[in-house]
Amino acid sequence: PNPVQQVLFIERTSEHPLEATLSAVTGQVVRALFLTEKMTAVDVSGLASGVWLLKTADGAAVRVVKI
């Protein structure tokens, strides 16, 4: 089950814009985002229950977390 059920909040900690992708463990990207706000709310209520990967990149670092 997803630990996030309705809304995923993404906080940008650097001054650079953040590129983010939400994908299935198979690699299929279901959402691509370009974030410029300090805090962004992403509606994930339409996603099926399961494991999803959030990949973020700010030009200096790339991070992948399971949600």
Side-chain angles (χ1 to χ4, degrees), residues 12-63:
R12 192 171 54 88
T13 57
S14 76
E15 293 299 316
H16 303 287
L18 192 64
E19 293 182 33
T21 56
L22 185 59
S23 60
V25 292
T26 60
Q28 177 188 12
V29 175
V30 294
R31 241 181 248 151
L33 307 159
F34 187 75
L35 311 174
T36 57
E37 300 295 324
K38 177 125 176 92
M39 181 73 71
T40 301
V42 180
D43 180 7
V44 294
S45 62
L47 297 179
S49 181
V51 177
W52 296 90
L53 302 175
L54 176 67
K55 177 181 177 182
T56 58
D58 67 1
V62 175
R63 183 175 178 196

